[in-house]
Amino acid sequence: MPELPEVETTVRGLARYLDGERLTRVMVKRADLRRPFPPNLVQALTGARVTGLGRRAKYGLIHTDRETTVVFHLGMSGRWRIDPEEVHKHDHLVLETAAGHTLSLCDPRRFGSVDLIDTAELGVWPPFAALGPEPLGDDLTVQHLHYAFAGRIAAVKLLLLDQRIVAGLGNIYVCEALFRANIDPRKAAGKVSRAALGRLVPAIKAVLAEAIEAGGSSLRDYAQPDGQLGYFSKRFDVYDREGEACACGGTVKRIVQGGRSTWFCPKCQK
Ligand SMILES: [Zn+2]
């Protein structure tokens, strides 16, 4: 499943082909993904110029000069294909640019989504309105987490997955950040010391930034015909490493919290 770094890498890759470009042809190949495509999508985008791209949480944003923004989510399996040799049955949205590039949103399992939102209304669009700060932005601070966690008895791992507290953090990077900050994922959030929060905030930013950098260095792999955006291999310290040795001499353990796996090292995460 694509996490924030994959979405960020996808957006940066798409920008190379879309930023400043006019969309000459737009095709919607089926009625819906997780929910229906906006009925006016083809009309709204055909002839529009892309004025910029961005990301909010795990959503990609394509802004246009018609004061509307395409908001896409990759769901479980979505990806953008660059100049596919042929459009196939899983390419549900196809954009052609005046420069002659074709970009197709391919989503075999169709858990993704595409919405068209007035750019000025993005902040109050319901999926965005309640989101917490971006983890890579200046608003994610020790003070923010200190207030958000105060008095909370829920496990710190679960609160970090709460999109109202931090937007766009998923299971992999929460596990990795808690490991790097030496915090036990089971600890009550309100009991995490300020010193530990002081380690956690930079750890969150670092694990995401490193993954984005790894994605960026994979750009050459898809800057070619039939390339695909957004997936790259990464190495993790604890994620999916149950039973393996930690550098501290401990052993990575897997537990289930809130119905999802958590990997951590009980020896160095306190
Ligand atoms: Zn350890």
Side-chain angles (χ1 to χ4, degrees):
M1 185 196 301
E3 291 224 25
L4 187 153
E6 284 88 352
V7 180
E8 179 67 28
T9 303
T10 297
V11 165
R12 291 182 187 186
L14 281 177
R16 295 179 173 193
Y17 298 90
L18 285 179
D19 198 6
E21 283 297 318
R22 193 166 294 285
L23 302 176
T24 48
R25 193 171 178 217
V26 177
M27 287 172 282
V28 172
K29 312 288 279 185
R30 58 173 294 120
D32 57 12
L33 296 177
R34 184 170 59 198
R35 52 180 178 265
F37 280 103
N40 59 337
L41 189 67
V42 171
Q43 185 188 22
L45 293 183
T46 304
R49 186 178 293 280
V50 174
T51 55
L53 288 93
R55 177 190 56 74
R56 179 75 170 114
K58 288 186 242 183
Y59 292 86
L61 310 174
I62 303 171
H63 305 297
T64 78
D65 63 354
R66 292 179 180 168
E67 296 174 10
T68 57
T69 295
V70 178
V71 182
F72 66 86
H73 194 288
L74 296 172
M76 303 287 287
S77 60
R79 63 200 66 209
W80 283 88
R81 301 206 301 146
I82 309 296
D83 293 331
E85 281 172 11
E86 57 183 335
V87 172
H88 63 52
K89 65 176 179 174
H90 297 307
D91 293 319
H92 305 306
L93 173 65
V94 182
L95 308 177
E96 293 179 6
T97 70
H101 289 292
T102 300
L103 304 160
S104 66
L105 178 59
C106 167
D107 187 357
R109 297 178 65 183
R110 302 200 306 270
F111 283 110
S113 61
V114 173
D115 291 282
L116 188 67
I117 308 296
D118 288 344
T119 306
E121 304 284 313
L122 279 172
V124 295
W125 185 49
F128 286 179
L131 286 177
E134 285 290 321
L136 290 168
D138 293 338
D139 292 339
L140 176 61
T141 60
V142 171
Q143 193 62 44
H144 170 73
L145 289 185
H146 180 69
Y147 286 140
F149 290 172
R152 301 288 299 269
I153 58 169
V156 59
K157 195 249 181 165
L158 295 179
L159 289 197
L160 287 173
L161 288 174
D162 183 337
Q163 303 294 295
R164 296 168 296 185
I165 294 177
V166 186
L169 272 188
N171 202 31
I172 294 175
Y173 295 100
V174 168
C175 291
E176 293 290 298
L178 287 169
F179 170 76
R180 201 171 291 200
N182 297 117
I183 298 170
D184 188 325
R186 300 166 295 185
K187 193 171 195 124
K191 300 276 191 204
V192 177
S193 71
R194 221 178 151 96
L197 294 180
R199 298 192 302 269
L200 179 59
V201 168
I204 290 169
K205 294 175 189 286
V207 294
L208 292 171
E210 287 166 19
I212 289 168
E213 197 179 314
S217 62
S218 75
L219 283 175
R220 62 181 175 274
D221 297 336
Y222 55 74
Q224 56 194 12
D226 241 13
Q228 296 189 353
L229 283 174
Y231 295 83
F232 45 90
S233 57
K234 297 176 291 289
R235 196 196 157 279
F236 300 113
D237 287 322
V238 287
Y239 178 80
D240 206 18
R241 293 175 67 100
E242 183 181 13
E244 294 186 37
C246 175
C248 76
T251 302
V252 176
K253 188 177 175 185
R254 184 181 73 87
I255 57 173
V256 175
Q257 293 179 286
R260 304 181 70 187
S261 290
T262 300
W263 290 267
F264 73 111
C265 172
K267 190 168 176 198
C268 64
Q269 290 179 250
K270 301 294 182 188

